[in-house]
Amino acid sequence: MNKVDGHGTAPGVKTYSSCSIHALASCTSTARTMAAMRWLPFLCLAVAAAGSMLHQARAQADSKGFISIDCGYAGEMYIESDTRQQLQFAPDVGFTTAGSNHDISVEYMSTVAFKLFKTVRSFPDGKRNCYKIRSLVPGLKYLIRAWFLYGNYDGLNTTPIFDLYIGANFWTTMNMSRAAPDQFLFAEAMVVVPNDYVHVCLVNTGAGTPFITGLELRPLKSMLYPDASAKQGLNLHSRFDLGTGSKTRVIRYPDDPHDRIWRPVDTTAEYPSITTFRRVQNPNDDPFQVPTEVMDSAITARNASALIEIIMHPQPEPNNPSPGYIAILHIAELRILRGNAVRQFYVNLNGKQWSSDAITPKYLSSGAIYGPIVPDQQGTISISLEPTAGSTLLPILNAFEIFSIMPTTKVDTESEDGTPSPTPITNAGSKDGATTPVTNSSSESQGVCIGGSSCKKSNKLVLYIAVPIAGFVVVVSAAVLIFCLLRRKKQGSR
C-alpha cells in the first residue's frame, strides 16, 4: 500500500506533478503559470491522498479474501498478534467519509484485550451513515459481521439503540443496553452480494448516537448455506458448539477456515458429553463444512425418559415483524457401535415429526438436518430429538445454528412469501439414505434458552446469549434469543 505521510511520497505524486508541469507550459501567461505552480504541491498532495484512500479501500482483502476493518482507528494496517487468528486489520479511512473517531474511556482500556476494541467511529450527524466496502466478487456469498463495544467513549454513560442495514435491506437492531460498557455485541449475516461492493449502514432511530467498533467480511463458497440466496440472507441468532465441557473454548479461524464463531455451552449438569480424538470428516457435498474441532464433541440424553430439546420463544423486531426461521442441527457419530448397538432417532418440531426418516448418524462423518421452523399456536418453537423404538443408544447433537430470514433485494418484486413447509433437508443419515426436499419461504416469528426450568415460558430467563469469550462477552444480534436444552418426559414411543 502506498502511504502519504512525513516519511515519504506516494509514487503517484511524481507522475501527477510531471503531467501538470507539461500542461502549464502551454499557458501564455507567465504570471498565471507561476501562480498555478505555487498551488501545485498542495494539489499533488490532495490527489495523492485521494489515490491512497482509493487504493486502501480497494485493496484491503488479505490472501484468504478476508476483509477486516478497525472502525475509528486512524493508524496503519496491522496484524492482531494477541490472538490465534493473526488477522490483518485496516483502518476505516476510505470506507466512509462520515462520523468521527473516538477512543473508548480510559477506565476500560486496561480491561479490553484486543486493539480492535479500543476505538469506535460514531455518527452523531445524519439519519443514515454507511460504509462502502469495495473489491468484492459480484454474485458471491459473504459472511458479514459487525462488532460493537460502547466503552463509554462519549462520556455519557448512555448506551444507544440503532438499526443496521445491508444496502437498503434491514438487518437487525443493536440494543447496546444488553451489554456492559466493556462487553461486546456482534451481529452476523450471510448474504449474496450482487455488485462488486456492499454498503453496511447504521441508522439513527432517535435512541442515541449510532457507533461501530469493527467490520468483517468473509467470502463463502456458493454451495455453503443454500438458504442464503440472491433473494434472502440469513441473520445469525445462535451458533453453539455442544459437549465441549468448557465455558471458554471458542472455535473460529484458523480452525474454521470460514471464520464462523462457534461458542461453547456447558451442559454437563444435564447432558453427558461424548468426545473423540479422531478427525470428523466433511463429505464433498457438505453444505456447511463444520470443522472437526466443533464436531468432535456432542451431548446425549441422560436416559431414555429425557429428550434433548431446544426451546424458542420468538420475539421479532419491529422492522421485521414476521421473519422466517431456519434451524441447522449438526450431527456425527463419535463412537464405533459394537454388535447390535443402534443409534437412531427422530427430530420433532413442536411435537410432530420434522424429519421424514429416522436419523442414523454416520461414524466420523459430518451431517446435518436443516430447514424452516415455525412457532406453534402459543408462539413457541420446540425442536426435540427422540429415539426410535428400535434404538439401543440415545440421540446425540454436536452443534446447532439458528437464523432468521432477511430479504436482501428489492430489484426482483416477485414474491416467494408464504407458510414454509416444516419438512427439513437431511444429510445426517437415515434408514435408506434418502433425503427429503424442502420448500423455502417465509415463516412467522422468533426467540430461545439452556437448562431446566428456565425454559418455562411463564418464567422465561432473558439471557440474550451472553457468553464469556477470553475475558469479554459476545451477545448475539438483536432478537430476544435465549437458548435452552430442556429435559422433558418422553410422551411415548412410536
Side-chain angles (χ1 to χ4, degrees):
M1 177 183 299
N2 296 328
K3 65 177 182 177
V4 181
D5 57 18
H7 303 288
T9 304
V13 172
K14 292 184 179 180
T15 301
Y16 186 89
S17 176
S18 173
C19 216
S20 298
I21 292 173
H22 175 74
L24 288 168
S26 64
C27 295
T28 58
S29 170
T30 302
R32 290 172 59 190
T33 299
M34 293 302 294
M37 290 287 286
R38 285 195 295 270
W39 286 101
L40 186 58
F42 300 102
L43 185 59
C44 290
L45 286 173
V47 171
S52 177
M53 288 175 61
L54 182 60
H55 177 78
Q56 185 177 41
R58 292 182 178 275
Q60 73 280 24
D62 64 14
S63 60
K64 303 175 291 296
F66 288 8
I67 297 172
S68 304
I69 303 170
D70 188 338
C71 302
Y73 172 65
E76 298 181 6
M77 188 174 292
Y78 68 91
I79 293 177
E80 183 65 86
S81 57
D82 293 335
T83 67
R84 286 188 64 231
Q85 289 77 46
Q86 296 287 297
L87 297 175
Q88 175 180 282
F89 283 90
D92 62 356
V93 61
F95 297 99
T96 183
T97 58
S100 56
N101 295 349
H102 302 272
D103 294 334
I104 63 172
S105 173
V106 174
E107 64 181 308
Y108 299 117
M109 279 289 185
S110 61
T111 63
V112 174
F114 306 123
K115 187 174 182 178
L116 170 66
F117 300 110
K118 294 181 183 293
T119 60
V120 306
R121 182 179 287 265
S122 70
F123 301 93
D125 300 318
K127 182 176 178 62
R128 178 186 179 94
N129 292 279
C130 300
Y131 281 77
K132 184 175 183 179
I133 304 170
R134 301 176 175 87
S135 298
L136 306 184
V137 179
L140 191 65
K141 197 173 295 182
Y142 284 86
L143 181 155
I144 301 178
R145 186 159 50 229
W147 293 90
F148 306 87
L149 181 141
Y150 172 58
N152 196 25
Y153 75 90
D154 54 5
L156 300 177
N157 278 312
T158 303
T159 51
I161 302 172
F162 51 91
D163 288 343
L164 295 181
Y165 281 71
I166 296 177
N169 303 292
F170 175 74
W171 178 2
T172 191
T173 296
M174 297 307 303
N175 184 348
M176 296 306 301
S177 66
R178 295 175 177 174
D182 60 345
Q183 293 178 329
F184 302 79
L185 282 73
F186 73 81
E188 181 186 303
M190 295 180 183
V191 298
V192 174
V193 175
N195 303 306
D196 62 353
Y197 64 88
V198 66
H199 287 104
V200 176
C201 303
L202 293 81
V203 175
N204 191 323
T205 58
T209 299
F211 75 93
I212 187 168
T213 300
L215 265 177
E216 297 176 324
L217 274 78
R218 309 291 186 247
L220 299 173
K221 299 176 183 177
S222 297
M223 65 174 289
L224 295 182
Y225 294 88
D227 286 296
S229 66
K231 292 187 177 182
Q232 65 180 33
L234 299 179
N235 178 34
L236 178 69
H237 284 292
S238 62
R239 180 183 292 122
F240 284 118
D241 179 9
L242 303 176
T244 67
S246 170
K247 295 181 180 179
T248 58
R249 189 189 82 158
V250 176
I251 302 298
R252 60 178 300 186
Y253 181 85
D255 297 317
D256 186 335
H258 307 295
D259 197 25
R260 291 164 293 188
I261 297 175
W262 299 88
R263 294 173 295 143
V265 179
D266 183 6
T267 59
T268 53
E270 294 206 313
Y271 301 104
S273 296
I274 300 175
T275 61
T276 183
F277 292 106
R278 297 181 179 273
R279 185 171 186 83
V280 179
Q281 301 292 333
N282 298 124
N284 292 333
D285 59 349
D286 185 354
F288 304 107
Q289 297 183 1
V290 180
T292 187
E293 289 80 3
V294 172
M295 297 300 295
D296 63 7
S297 65
I299 60 171
T300 185
R302 192 170 294 281
N303 55 64
S305 63
L307 300 181
I308 296 175
E309 188 168 20
I310 302 169
I311 301 294
M312 305 174 60
H313 299 303
Q315 293 190 10
E317 298 172 317
N319 283 339
N320 193 13
S322 300
Y325 298 96
I326 291 173
I328 308 171
L329 308 185
H330 301 287
I331 303 167
E333 180 59 69
L334 304 180
R335 292 179 176 173
I336 298 176
L337 305 188
R338 308 286 185 181
N340 296 323
V342 176
R343 192 188 309 278
Q344 193 176 77
F345 54 90
Y346 293 101
V347 178
N348 298 329
L349 175 64
N350 299 332
K352 297 180 180 179
Q353 188 173 313
W354 193 40
S355 54
S356 60
D357 297 301
I359 306 302
T360 304
K362 297 179 181 179
Y363 179 60
L364 297 183
S365 180
S366 181
I369 177 168
Y370 61 102
I373 52 177
V374 294
D376 60 20
Q377 292 182 347
Q378 287 72 44
T380 299
I381 297 174
S382 169
I383 303 172
S384 59
L385 279 60
E386 181 180 6
T388 64
S391 181
T392 63
L393 298 174
L394 298 170
I396 59 173
L397 182 60
N398 304 64
F400 70 90
E401 300 173 273
I402 295 178
F403 298 88
S404 64
I405 296 172
M406 49 181 289
T408 55
T409 178
K410 296 181 179 179
V411 176
D412 186 354
T413 58
E414 196 170 305
S415 175
E416 293 186 357
D417 291 344
T419 302
S421 166
T423 305
I425 293 177
T426 304
N427 69 348
S430 63
K431 287 186 287 189
D432 55 9
T435 59
T436 304
V438 66
T439 301
N440 290 322
S441 51
S442 297
S443 85
E444 293 184 353
S445 234
Q446 173 175 341
V448 192
C449 67
I450 202 157
S453 61
S454 66
C455 280
K456 293 180 180 178
K457 191 170 182 181
S458 60
N459 188 28
K460 183 173 57 178
L461 175 64
V462 182
L463 197 60
Y464 292 103
I465 316 295
V467 181
I469 296 183
F472 61 90
V473 172
V474 171
V475 184
V476 169
S477 199
V480 180
L481 193 59
I482 33 182
F483 271 83
C484 181
L485 300 175
L486 175 67
R487 300 195 318 176
R488 176 180 289 180
K489 294 293 183 181
K490 186 175 179 182
Q491 300 296 321
S493 60
R494 296 183 178 273

